[in-house]
Amino acid sequence: MTEPAITPELVAQHGMKPDEYQRLLEIIGREPTYTELGIFSAMWNEHCSYKSSKKWLRTLPTTGPQVICGPGENAGVVDIGDGQAVIFKMESHNHPSYIEPHQGAATGVGGILRDVFTMGARPIAAMNSLSFGVPSHPKTAYLVKGVVEGVGGYGNAFGVPTVGGEVRFHKSYNGNCLVNAFAAGLADADKIFYSVASGVGMPVVYLGAKTGRDGVGGATMASAEFDDTIEEKRPTVQVGDPFTEKRLLEACLELMASGAVISIQDMGAAGLTCSAVEMGDKGGLGIKLNLDAVPQREQNMTAYEMMLSESQERMLMVLKPEMEDEARAIFVKWDLDFAIVGETIPEDRFLILLGNEVKADLPLSKLSSSAPEYDRPWVETPAAAPLGAVPAIDPIDGLRALIGSASYAHKAWVYEQYDCQVGADTIRTPGLGAGVVRVHGTDKALAFTSDVTPRYVKANPFEGGKQAVAEAYRNLISVGARPLATTDNLNFGNPEKPEIMGQLVGAVKGIGAAVAALDMPIVSGNVSLYNETDGTGILPTPTIGAVGLCKIDELISGLAKAGDVAVLIGATAGHLGQSALLAEAFGIEAGDAPAVDLAAEAAAGALVLANRGNIGAITDLSDGGLALAAFEMADAGNVGLTLDSADIGQLFGEDQARYLVAASEAQAAALIAAGVAAGVPVARVGSFGGADVRLGASVAKLADLSVLYRGAFAAAVA
């Protein structure tokens, strides 16, 4: 097959700017082959190289006594005591999910699971953070159904419980939905596997499923904006098979236990190219690949197609040569391909052969660690104008506007399509804040949450970045867990626009300040840029996934019951800027994001953990403020509610560092006294009981509100 001539148009189609192509020419001293152009394009695109964000990602706090391995590996590794570690990461599959929602979301789940088990961990929990356009948009219902089916279909069949997540709707996602997938696994702290190749002449082994043409160019597609050619990009979406992945998991864990593995890397973005280059580069070695040995499921595949295919359920490994037979037997037993496709070499070369022809011969180190790195121009997001007069609204009507909206309605329609109990270790299922999973065979549990409020980040990237971390912190505290560490999934528009780059910079600074103050270092993550369609970007959405640890007998998991006092921890000023009430009741997105006092967050969190014996039920306050949090507690406990204040700011304001507790009279008195001693505001704000919801003088039947709350999501996307 004749390779196409390298033209400026072909270079541009590969997402390379003229100056980047010039840099390529200087590195290799000649015109590249078509395969070499594809390899450089894959390794230097935004998705693989982080070329626009690296400068700012380096500023994030990533270390702490609990951190075993921070960013740079397939996933982060955190010590949970007793010689055990939790391994976790969050990654986006945004562009593929908009083009082909079922497979895009499914392969997002598959990819993040491989990131975890490639490090030697057995996955124990998954979450997802989903952002869609407005429900009335003609594509939204199709995307929601496809994505939820894809997430559930893959995770359920693979056998990992989906224990948490979030779903939001906003017009900025009409042309570019977000699918952020999180996975966590368990491993022995002294049995973690890394991707650093070592030793010369060691066999490079291909494991798993066969290579096809699906996903060719996927990483490059994920580093570009959408336009009216979007349908032509469908072939760049991969196709997943969860049953193959389950076999791959078991085979890899068995092989790891045998002692045969030197290094291992999953084949994700840019497939064989990225996995081989990263392993070689980290080990300071070259890699020679013979593509004739690659297991293929299609006829006459070219070197370009094989190197850039993103076919799923595949791994690349450097193996101890004396254990080849034992390793092969394991993969044959699990009915998976096992092929020696190359070897490590001492020279700094990435040598690709097909049919005895050299298809690529490149300096390997220049592909990864020498990728372009930009200090993009950025402008600070201007301070938001003060919020004007808030329209008058009856408090119950305000609550109805929230619980009747797709973003704040009950999400059972989504999570009931996920298996949240597979593995039999799930203690707390979705729908009530953070998910909790038992560490099997121990008295420990891990809590998981993901959070961000994109409206805040757009109005004030620094405070919005802080708030995403603070809300994740509160969600973990609310189940009684001590926050351990975080992963970030930074979803933004086009970084070549200074105002978009300014959002990224501000949010990263806010995230950095919060994870430092709350001792939740960032240990892994992903950046997804160019989330734009026809020049219109998404709301900046830096999702924070967080993990916490507690003893099972220290979990806080009760429900509000009749006779309980409603106790508010934290100070309320009535901040309505960028609030859910204004957005849902009036279509207003104005004012500043709420300020996040990190010292107040830490103090309120410490008060909760120190007084868990005085807490019957608890939730943190975020979108919708006191009124929405109290209603959700009332609905979950099937018990009426009275809040004493009729003031809209007191009821719906979104001031931070706050929790709502349901407690007995004696517990409430003890909590208030503890608050006084700790210098944290704690006050009675109402009570639980009866069959009504009373907000000041405004009254409605709990049963009527619950029908609205529990039916609104399905009604919006049906």
Side-chain angles (χ1 to χ4, degrees):
M1 189 183 210
T2 312
E3 292 198 339
I6 307 298
T7 63
E9 293 74 25
L10 189 68
V11 171
Q13 284 167 18
H14 280 74
M16 290 190 93
K17 301 279 195 291
D19 59 320
E20 291 176 339
Y21 183 65
Q22 195 54 44
R23 179 172 179 158
L24 181 164
L25 294 177
E26 288 164 9
I27 286 171
I28 67 174
R30 57 175 170 79
E31 189 177 87
T33 66
Y34 181 53
T35 302
E36 288 173 337
L37 176 65
I39 288 170
F40 265 103
S41 153
M43 291 305 302
W44 283 10
N45 68 49
E46 198 69 56
H47 196 78
C48 294
S49 72
Y50 297 94
K51 60 190 175 188
S52 297
S53 55
K54 219 183 259 182
K55 170 187 164 80
W56 298 102
L57 296 178
R58 287 195 191 100
T59 66
L60 289 169
T62 59
T63 58
Q66 70 273 48
V67 178
I68 294 172
C69 176
E73 270 294 339
N74 288 293
V77 185
V78 176
D79 193 335
I80 60 167
D82 308 310
Q84 293 178 300
V86 60
I87 292 90
F88 64 95
K89 188 184 187 182
M90 192 172 228
E91 256 193 358
S92 60
H93 232 222
N94 303 335
H95 284 49
S97 298
Y98 188 77
I99 296 168
E100 215 300 306
H102 188 286
Q103 290 299 345
T107 53
V109 174
I112 199 67
L113 289 168
R114 283 196 305 282
D115 277 336
V116 166
F117 73 73
T118 192
M119 299 200 67
R122 180 173 291 279
I124 61 161
M127 293 191 296
N128 51 82
S129 175
L130 311 175
S131 304
F132 298 103
V134 290
S136 58
H137 187 272
K139 203 164 177 180
T140 297
Y142 159 74
L143 289 171
V144 172
K145 288 170 184 165
V147 165
V148 171
E149 283 173 4
V151 168
Y154 204 101
N156 297 355
F158 176 85
V160 63
T162 300
V163 299
E166 50 185 349
V167 187
R168 69 181 58 81
F169 296 83
H170 189 274
K171 64 179 184 289
S172 75
Y173 306 108
N174 281 351
N176 197 130
C177 64
L178 301 184
V179 174
N180 292 177
F182 169 100
L186 277 177
D188 291 341
D190 61 351
K191 293 189 178 74
I192 308 296
F193 287 81
Y194 298 101
S195 58
V196 181
S198 64
V200 172
M202 297 295 166
V204 175
V205 185
Y206 173 113
L207 307 167
K210 288 178 166 56
T211 294
R213 291 188 172 94
D214 52 328
V216 173
T220 302
M221 174 271 292
S223 303
E225 294 179 36
F226 283 148
D227 54 28
D228 55 12
T229 64
I230 184 171
E231 284 303 316
E232 298 166 18
K233 297 184 168 80
R234 192 171 296 274
T236 60
V237 178
Q238 314 91 324
V239 177
D241 176 359
F243 298 106
T244 299
E245 179 122 332
K246 172 65 171 170
R247 299 201 315 274
L248 184 61
L249 162 73
E250 299 300 343
C252 284
L253 293 182
E254 190 175 331
L255 185 59
M256 288 163 169
S258 76
V261 179
I262 295 173
S263 70
I264 183 167
Q265 176 82 27
D266 81 297
M267 289 195 224
L272 194 50
T273 290
C274 195
S275 54
V277 168
E278 287 190 2
M279 284 169 72
D281 187 55
K282 287 175 183 171
L285 294 166
I287 301 273
K288 175 183 174 183
L289 295 179
N290 175 15
L291 299 185
D292 294 296
V294 170
Q296 298 158 56
R297 67 164 189 263
E298 297 186 44
Q299 299 277 312
N300 303 318
M301 288 189 71
T302 64
Y304 179 96
E305 290 169 333
M306 278 190 267
M307 292 307 296
L308 298 184
S309 166
E310 294 184 4
S311 294
Q312 295 292 288
E313 293 88 43
R314 301 181 303 157
M315 298 285 213
L316 200 63
M317 186 180 291
V318 177
L319 190 68
K320 292 177 182 170
E322 67 275 13
M323 297 190 72
E324 179 192 329
D325 290 346
E326 187 177 339
R328 186 185 301 276
I330 291 170
F331 275 75
V332 168
K333 180 182 82 173
W334 286 101
D335 194 22
L336 293 164
D337 278 295
F338 177 101
I340 294 179
V341 295
E343 63 176 337
T344 57
I345 55 177
E347 305 89 5
D348 179 20
R349 285 173 84 188
F350 193 38
L351 186 58
I352 312 297
L353 304 172
L354 178 63
N356 291 323
E357 271 184 57
V358 174
K359 294 296 183 179
D361 189 355
L362 300 169
L364 185 142
S365 63
K366 301 294 184 194
L367 291 166
S368 181
S369 45
S370 300
E373 187 175 323
Y374 295 122
D375 185 1
R376 300 241 185 241
W378 60 280
V379 293
E380 198 161 329
T381 301
L387 183 64
V390 174
I393 190 169
D394 178 87
I396 289 289
D397 289 342
L399 179 61
R400 280 199 184 98
L402 289 173
I403 64 177
S405 72
S407 286
Y408 300 107
H410 198 266
K411 299 298 190 302
W413 185 92
V414 176
Y415 63 72
E416 284 177 357
Q417 297 185 52
Y418 305 151
D419 189 336
C420 54
Q421 292 288 2
V422 62
D425 279 320
T426 305
I427 297 174
R428 190 178 170 105
T429 56
L432 290 168
V436 182
V437 175
R438 178 189 293 105
V439 179
H440 195 78
T442 74
D443 63 348
K444 295 181 298 198
L446 288 163
F448 304 99
T449 185
S450 75
D451 298 283
V452 63
T453 307
R455 287 190 315 277
Y456 295 171
V457 187
K458 181 153 196 234
N460 188 327
F462 181 69
E463 290 299 331
K466 283 164 62 180
Q467 193 276 338
V469 176
E471 189 176 336
Y473 171 86
R474 291 196 300 271
N475 276 330
L476 296 176
I477 293 285
S478 294
V479 295
R482 177 173 61 86
L484 279 181
T486 47
T487 180
D488 60 356
N489 200 153
L490 308 178
N491 308 272
F492 290 85
N494 184 344
E496 296 166 51
K497 297 177 179 175
E499 64 276 15
I500 301 291
M501 195 64 208
Q503 293 175 347
L504 173 69
V505 171
V508 169
K509 288 180 175 180
I511 291 166
V515 297
L518 300 174
D519 189 23
M520 300 167 71
I522 297 273
V523 297
S524 58
N526 170 238
V527 177
S528 175
L529 305 179
Y530 297 95
N531 288 291
E532 300 204 354
T533 300
D534 296 328
T536 302
I538 59 160
L539 284 180
T541 311
T543 312
I544 298 294
V547 177
L549 178 69
C550 67
K551 293 280 177 69
I552 291 172
D553 61 6
E554 292 176 342
L555 273 173
I556 307 173
S557 58
L559 298 174
K561 54 189 190 297
D564 279 348
V565 179
V567 179
L568 181 64
I569 296 174
T572 303
H575 183 97
L576 287 167
Q578 298 299 332
S579 65
L581 177 73
L582 291 188
E584 299 298 343
F586 305 108
I588 295 172
E589 293 178 26
D592 201 355
V596 180
D597 180 335
L598 294 167
E601 291 284 2
L607 181 76
V608 170
L609 293 186
N611 288 274
R612 46 183 114 217
N614 291 317
I615 293 170
I618 183 171
T619 182
D620 83 302
L621 268 58
S622 52
D623 281 279
L626 174 62
L628 182 58
F631 170 77
E632 288 173 348
M633 285 180 88
D635 174 81
N638 193 27
V639 61
L641 160 73
T642 299
L643 292 178
D644 301 331
S645 178
D647 180 78
I648 293 297
Q650 295 290 311
L651 289 170
F652 295 98
E654 295 180 5
D655 308 273
Q656 300 294 297
R658 297 187 302 158
Y659 301 83
L660 179 63
V661 172
S664 68
E665 287 284 357
Q667 289 173 324
L671 262 182
I672 291 167
V676 171
V680 175
V682 181
R684 295 174 66 124
V685 290
S687 60
F688 292 93
D692 296 331
V693 172
R694 297 175 180 272
L695 306 180
S698 190
V699 187
K701 291 288 177 199
L702 172 67
D704 294 342
L705 293 176
S706 290
V707 167
L708 173 64
Y709 177 55
R710 290 176 176 265
F713 191 94
V717 300

